[in-house]
Amino acid sequence: MTTLGDDLPKQMARVRDVLMPQYQSIGPAGGFALALMRASLDRAAKAMAEGDLPAMISAYKELKDYQ
């Protein structure tokens, strides 16, 4: 069993290190998705820094949905 404190940083890393490079590699067509991902990562980082549990849960769900 893992915790939100463990899984949220993992999802952030997955989006940043795995998905974003894939979208960058397709060029301008991936720009909109990249902008959405950056905004999601910013919200997740802010929620973690502020210790805002509801925002962290929301950010986790949002990041988890990226494919």
Side-chain angles (χ1 to χ4, degrees):
M1 181 175 229
T2 59
T3 66
L4 180 63
D6 295 330
D7 282 347
L8 181 55
K10 287 179 185 176
Q11 285 300 320
M12 292 171 75
R14 180 184 72 87
V15 170
R16 181 185 60 246
D17 300 336
V18 177
L19 297 179
M20 289 181 80
Q22 292 175 359
Y23 280 87
Q24 288 170 334
S25 73
I26 62 173
F32 183 71
L34 285 168
L36 292 175
M37 289 179 194
R38 285 186 189 106
S40 295
L41 288 170
D42 289 347
R43 282 191 291 276
K46 182 177 186 240
M48 286 180 62
E50 295 176 351
D52 184 346
L53 185 59
M56 289 171 63
I57 293 169
S58 177
Y60 172 77
K61 289 177 182 177
E62 191 175 325
L63 292 169
K64 192 173 179 186
D65 286 341
Y66 285 116
Q67 306 251 343

